[in-house]
Amino acid sequence: MYKFLTITLLIFVFMSCKTYDVMHFEVLRPAAYSVPPQIKTLVIVDNAYPFNPDDAHIAHVVGEEVRLDTVRVDSFAAVIAGNLQQELLRRRFFDTVYIDTVSYNTADQGQSLRALTPAQIIDIGTRHQADAVLSLAAASYGTDIKVEDMSVEYYAMMDVAGTVYWRLWDAYSATVLHQELQRDTLYWDGIGASIDASVMYFPSLKEATIELGSFLGATYADKLTPYWEPVERKVYTNGNPHFVSAIEWLNKDNRYEAEKMWGYVYAHGNSREKGKAAYNIAVSMELRGDLEQAVQWAYKSYEAFRTKGVVGSRQEVEDAKKLYQGLVIRYRDEKKLNEQVGGTP
């Protein structure tokens, strides 16, 4: 899996007062749903029944509920679909992604959660020469603003929540391949000497709702395609003279010589030194793409830090445990990820 790792920072500066440094890089995570490999082109359809409630925006001001002016955002579903299309095109997982602009579930003739008919699905797929139809089957939003009197000042929080229901159809057989309910919330907060001052820098209800729609569309791409996720890893730089030599090798971009230094420490050091050395080797193996070895070394680190009589911190034990658990997840996801990106299962 090394070919899927993009190291964004690998510069270590040794400082005698520090016991570790931190490296930052990105790892490729598998999509939550594995789109069948025969689906090369996708068309997104806004099939959501228009959302028009009279209680979408509520405020609770110092214990009193206030219904805010009704603000309709008729473009909410379109914003979601448009941002999803942009994100999928950017990732280049599909050959292309279209948006169908026909309204299939209008306010005067439609109904909530009404599915596309098989004839509509096949027609949409044929017109766009798409292999699958992704239907935005429902989309709703709501705003809740809370203002509390903290005696000295007022504290306000604004959250905008959204719910989207998706259906993915095979464009040739009109069978449902996947369906999912997506929920998320964006938050803002503020403080001020008065109620008005505490909410002064909040976006308008319409602006916040549109921002939420953009976020929902962009993040739903993670459900359909692999995505890069930033991670950070400790690398121990102190505790044994050989750690200094290892860091010097790393600064020369020679990970293998560094591993030899850490391996020597693991073979001859005390339990705490073993824990640090094994931890470093696990991180190095992860960067190499050898996740199986990385998992084994992470567990060795955890075991060493837990050895009776070790004068170490509880944080070192927890960090080793967290590294082991995270690498186990990556190792289990490796086959799924390889299938999604067309690699070797």
Side-chain angles (χ1 to χ4, degrees):
M1 289 303 299
Y2 176 72
K3 63 182 178 179
F4 298 125
L5 290 171
T6 299
I7 303 175
T8 57
L9 176 64
L10 188 57
I11 301 175
F12 298 89
V13 179
F14 175 69
M15 298 176 62
S16 59
C17 61
K18 291 181 63 177
T19 60
Y20 66 88
D21 216 318
V22 178
M23 68 164 59
H24 301 269
F25 56 95
E26 293 183 326
V27 299
L28 193 63
R29 301 291 192 187
Y33 169 69
S34 293
V35 176
Q38 67 271 19
I39 294 178
K40 305 298 183 184
T41 57
L42 183 72
V43 57
I44 302 171
V45 178
D46 175 8
N47 192 48
Y49 187 69
F51 183 65
N52 184 27
D54 59 3
D55 59 351
H57 311 292
I58 302 293
H60 296 86
V61 182
V62 193
E64 181 180 351
E65 181 173 296
V66 179
R67 183 169 298 184
L68 303 177
D69 292 340
T70 299
V71 176
R72 289 184 55 181
V73 184
D74 294 332
S75 63
F76 185 62
V79 168
I80 296 171
N83 278 270
L84 175 59
Q85 180 198 36
Q86 291 177 18
E87 182 62 21
L88 291 177
L89 289 173
R90 186 187 68 81
R91 297 187 185 191
R92 299 183 179 180
F93 183 80
F94 298 101
D95 289 347
T96 192
V97 179
Y98 304 101
I99 288 186
D100 188 280
T101 58
V102 178
S103 296
Y104 297 94
N105 200 1
T106 59
D108 56 340
Q109 296 181 345
Q111 63 184 43
S112 179
L113 289 174
R114 186 174 70 181
L116 294 167
T117 67
Q120 288 175 325
I121 294 166
I122 293 172
D123 175 66
I124 293 168
T126 301
R127 283 192 286 109
H128 294 280
Q129 296 183 334
D131 302 312
V133 173
L134 179 62
S135 169
L136 196 165
S140 61
Y141 54 83
T143 305
D144 187 10
I145 299 176
K146 292 184 176 69
V147 181
E148 297 179 5
D149 186 351
M150 308 300 289
S151 296
V152 178
E153 59 193 2
Y154 290 88
Y155 173 71
M157 185 173 71
M158 175 182 185
D159 67 75
V160 184
T163 302
V164 187
Y165 185 57
W166 300 92
R167 290 190 181 104
L168 181 66
W169 308 83
D170 181 284
Y172 304 106
S173 64
T175 56
V176 177
L177 299 174
H178 180 66
Q179 46 192 331
E180 182 172 6
L181 190 66
Q182 177 191 17
R183 288 192 178 98
D184 223 318
T185 306
L186 297 184
Y187 299 90
W188 291 265
D189 66 354
I191 57 174
S194 66
I195 293 174
D196 288 342
S198 69
V199 300
M200 180 183 300
Y201 297 105
F202 286 175
S204 69
L205 297 176
K206 183 174 182 179
E207 290 170 340
T209 302
I210 290 176
E211 185 172 341
L212 174 66
S214 300
F215 178 78
L216 288 166
T219 54
Y220 189 69
D222 293 347
K223 303 293 185 178
L224 302 176
T225 69
Y227 59 97
W228 291 101
E229 180 180 79
V231 298
E232 63 177 42
R233 297 284 188 253
K234 277 186 179 180
V235 176
Y236 289 99
T237 59
N238 207 341
N240 183 294
H242 288 87
F243 282 109
V244 179
S245 299
I247 294 304
E248 291 175 350
W249 281 115
L250 280 182
N251 284 331
K252 297 176 183 178
D253 199 26
N254 193 327
R255 183 188 301 108
Y256 301 98
E257 289 299 324
E259 288 174 6
K260 291 180 183 179
M261 296 290 102
W262 294 324
Y264 182 85
V265 174
Y266 184 80
H268 302 283
N270 60 41
S271 295
R272 192 178 185 195
E273 292 172 340
K274 287 177 183 290
K276 292 180 177 181
Y279 191 104
N280 287 0
I281 293 173
V283 172
S284 185
M285 290 293 178
E286 180 185 20
L287 287 168
R288 276 211 236 165
D290 191 341
L291 295 179
E292 184 173 2
Q293 286 290 323
V295 168
Q296 294 175 11
W297 280 103
Y299 190 73
K300 289 178 181 179
S301 173
Y302 177 61
E303 281 190 315
F305 280 133
R306 291 176 66 239
T307 299
K308 185 177 181 180
V310 172
V311 182
S313 71
R314 180 176 299 178
Q315 188 62 51
E316 288 171 340
V317 177
E318 289 303 311
D319 286 345
K321 180 180 179 181
K322 183 177 178 180
L323 178 65
Y324 170 71
Q325 292 172 335
L327 289 173
V328 167
I329 292 173
R330 287 204 63 205
Y331 179 67
R332 290 174 178 172
D333 283 346
E334 189 174 24
K335 181 178 180 181
K336 182 178 182 180
L337 181 58
N338 279 330
E339 290 172 348
Q340 291 178 359
V341 299
T344 304

